[in-house]
Amino acid sequence: MFRLRRRSLMGAMLLTPLITVATNAGAQSMSRASSAATADSTRRLLDRYIAEAVRSNLALAQQQVAVQRAEAGVQEANGRFLPSLGLNARYSEFSGVINIGDFINPTYAALNQILGQQRFPTDINATLPFRQETKLDLQMPLFNGALFGARAAARAQRDLVGSTRDAALRQLVADVQLAWLQVASATRAVQTLEATLPVLDENLRVSERLVSAGQATPDVVLRARAERSDLVQQLDDTRRLCAAAIRGFNLLRNQEPDAPIAMGLAGDTAALAQQEPADTLLPRAELVAHALRHREELTQAGSGVALARAQQRVAGSAFLPNLSLGASYGVQGDRYRFDRNNDVALASLVMSWNVFNGRQDDARRQQANALKQEAELRLRETERGIATQVHNAADAVDVARSNVRSARDRYDAAQRAFTLVERRYGEGLATQVEFLSARAAYTSAALNQVISRFTLDARLVELERVAALRTLPR
């Protein structure tokens, strides 16, 4: 009679399977529709989270500020080609300086005496320098090779910072998707373990009833408790990982650590289990070519080459003359007098040419040439590295696809094995050790299926990043 009771309890456990898998053709058709709905819902959900992270991520905001700073540097370099106008004023009080009137006044007095007329002033009071000098200064470069090199360097620096920001943006897009997948994977793992816990609770209760009825020895209860404690420990650790994944995802969004996260239809574990891994993937050559056309790291390396060329130009300009125009207009004297008799105008055409400085200019040019060679080699290395990344990511996707199929086969086998063992155990034909072993294999296969599915998704995200397949939001 008690054996019949145990059989009914074990049968009730099957009413709550870990992951439901459809087996007939109709269920498979519904599975494909559910998988398509899951994929579409997930894509829209992730796009929303990506847009939110682009707007609020602090690291990306820093990169955007750096772009603005680099753009201001270009404006500064352009401004050096324009004339500069400044107002300069000086007024001084002197003590002990030479007064020109002390020399001129006696001479003029002698001349007036000789001529018998007061034709020359004898009250001149003028010091050098003058007490005041106020003027407008105009400076304009006519030819300066260093300015052209500086402008080219500023533009290259702007492009370098901009491509760095774009690379950070692409990495952020991938990080958001990967972080969301980690949250979803951990959540599914917690759900799987939580669905298993009632099975072990019931097994412990049945084992205690068997021992109380004298139909089993105490070790049955001890094994049941040990199995349950092991699952509880695993569940607590998985919950901790899930909480950490949520906090990491919210950090990317610049939200509070425990802000809620929507899972959408990804919470449908049945759809997850039934979803077939997509086999549509561009050929390797096309993936590599696309990456070499669109990866921001190549733009960064190219900007490095342009920056080195600009430094070459700056170094080479030292061997050329500089020509500039200078003009001044103002008033000067012991007092402020604004009339045509006291204004002063000056215009100058200035040329400077460094003839010899100990071969310093030649050394700087050699350094710039070496820097350009380094940048070109770095560009080639980046191209090779990107191609390798694409091949590795594509290989990882292929292996992950295979693992998903293997995980599904493993789960199906473990589910059928657990069903058979559970029935035998309910009829008293299987030992508790067999039951717990089948249960552990079933739970492990369920977890492995979840992990394999999300691992494939994560590797697809990585392939999307390294091949630059996604159009970045702006």
Side-chain angles (χ1 to χ4, degrees):
M1 183 175 180
F2 192 81
R3 176 176 296 178
L4 294 176
R5 171 64 177 165
R6 186 175 69 172
R7 181 177 181 181
S8 64
L9 291 172
M10 293 299 106
M13 295 179 194
L14 294 178
L15 298 178
T16 340
L18 301 180
I19 295 180
T20 305
V21 180
T23 56
N24 53 48
Q28 291 176 358
S29 176
M30 294 177 61
S31 167
R32 287 191 290 270
S34 176
S35 298
T38 300
D40 186 61
S41 172
T42 300
R43 186 161 44 248
R44 291 196 302 270
L45 184 62
L46 281 176
D47 287 342
R48 190 185 76 192
Y49 278 132
I50 288 170
E52 180 185 20
V54 170
R55 289 193 305 268
S56 57
N57 183 265
L58 296 179
L60 189 62
Q62 296 176 49
Q63 295 290 341
Q64 185 60 42
V65 173
V67 172
Q68 296 172 2
R69 175 169 51 84
E71 185 64 40
V74 174
Q75 295 177 5
E76 179 187 5
N78 290 332
R80 295 193 183 104
F81 288 89
L82 301 177
S84 60
L85 181 65
L87 174 64
N88 297 305
R90 176 186 61 80
Y91 184 85
S92 307
E93 287 291 339
F94 303 116
S95 175
V97 297
I98 297 176
N99 191 330
I100 299 178
D102 294 341
F103 300 96
I104 299 178
N105 289 335
T107 304
Y108 282 178
L111 289 174
N112 289 336
Q113 186 177 4
I114 294 173
L115 295 175
Q117 300 177 9
Q118 294 295 323
R119 298 180 58 182
F120 299 97
T122 59
D123 58 349
I124 295 175
N125 182 21
T127 59
L128 289 178
F130 294 114
R131 288 185 180 277
Q132 67 84 19
E133 183 179 37
T134 303
K135 60 181 179 178
L136 289 171
D137 287 326
L138 176 69
Q139 301 290 332
M140 182 174 181
L142 298 180
F143 178 79
N144 190 330
L147 295 182
F148 293 95
R151 182 171 63 181
R155 290 174 175 173
Q157 183 67 26
R158 177 195 59 190
D159 295 341
L160 178 62
V161 175
S163 59
T164 301
R165 185 261 182 191
D166 291 341
L169 175 59
R170 187 173 297 282
Q171 185 64 55
L172 175 63
V173 170
D175 288 344
V176 170
Q177 296 178 85
L178 292 174
W180 185 89
L181 288 173
Q182 289 177 354
V183 174
S185 177
T187 302
R188 300 293 81 76
V190 169
Q191 292 176 352
T192 300
L193 294 174
E194 288 176 343
T196 306
L197 189 59
V199 177
L200 295 185
D201 288 339
E202 189 65 22
N203 177 62
L204 177 59
R205 192 179 72 84
V206 170
S207 299
E208 291 173 344
R209 293 285 296 275
L210 288 173
V211 173
S212 299
Q215 297 186 6
T217 57
D219 64 290
V220 174
V221 176
L222 296 176
R223 280 196 296 268
R225 287 178 179 172
E227 192 73 13
R228 185 186 183 282
S229 297
D230 180 69
L231 181 66
V232 169
Q233 182 180 3
Q234 187 178 3
L235 180 58
D236 290 341
D237 193 54
T238 305
R239 285 171 175 164
R240 177 189 62 81
L241 294 176
C242 184
I246 290 174
R247 286 190 288 270
F249 183 71
N250 285 329
L251 178 63
L252 294 174
R253 301 164 55 206
N254 193 26
Q255 299 293 324
E256 293 299 322
D258 297 325
I261 299 174
M263 290 289 101
L265 291 180
D268 184 358
T269 54
L272 175 68
Q274 297 159 13
Q275 187 175 350
E276 287 286 343
D279 290 323
T280 56
L281 193 65
L282 292 174
R284 298 289 179 89
E286 293 185 25
L287 288 173
V288 172
H290 191 276
L292 294 178
R293 289 194 304 270
H294 296 92
R295 278 287 292 272
E296 293 73 20
E297 289 81 356
L298 286 175
T299 306
Q300 286 178 279
S303 299
V305 174
L307 183 59
R309 288 173 179 166
Q311 292 176 346
Q312 268 187 321
R313 191 169 185 177
V314 171
S317 67
F319 295 90
L320 301 175
N322 296 328
L323 187 63
S324 62
L325 174 66
S328 299
Y329 175 79
V331 293
Q332 63 182 11
D334 292 329
R335 288 175 296 175
Y336 278 101
R337 295 187 182 92
F338 297 97
D339 53 42
R340 298 185 62 85
N341 295 325
N342 291 276
D343 61 349
V344 178
L346 175 67
S348 303
L349 187 64
V350 181
M351 186 193 76
S352 62
W353 196 350
N354 181 23
V355 179
F356 179 76
N357 65 349
R359 302 192 64 182
Q360 297 179 44
D361 296 333
D362 185 60
R364 279 192 287 269
R365 184 166 61 178
Q366 293 178 19
Q367 293 175 25
N369 292 337
L371 187 63
K372 176 176 173 291
Q373 293 178 9
E374 290 178 19
E376 291 173 342
L377 291 174
R378 192 176 301 111
L379 175 60
R380 292 171 54 189
E381 181 187 23
T382 302
E383 292 174 347
R384 297 287 299 275
I386 288 175
T388 300
Q389 289 177 5
V390 172
H391 285 293
N392 291 342
D395 287 343
V397 169
D398 292 339
V399 172
R401 281 204 185 103
S402 177
N403 289 344
V404 167
R405 298 186 181 96
S406 299
R408 185 172 56 249
D409 294 340
R410 174 186 169 185
Y411 171 81
D412 292 341
Q415 183 192 37
R416 289 193 295 269
F418 176 75
T419 302
L420 295 175
V421 172
E422 186 275 335
R423 289 175 181 172
R424 291 174 56 218
Y425 181 65
E427 296 172 357
L429 301 177
T431 66
Q432 185 191 41
V433 173
E434 291 177 300
F435 172 77
L436 294 178
S437 176
R439 195 283 314 164
Y442 185 29
T443 303
S444 176
L447 290 173
N448 180 67
Q449 188 175 37
V450 172
I451 294 172
S452 298
R453 177 71 254 180
F454 283 106
T455 298
L456 172 58
D457 291 337
R459 290 180 176 175
L460 285 170
V461 169
E462 178 62 15
L463 178 61
E464 177 189 83
R465 185 190 70 82
V466 299
L469 298 177
R470 174 182 283 264
T471 301
L472 296 179
R474 297 296 176 182

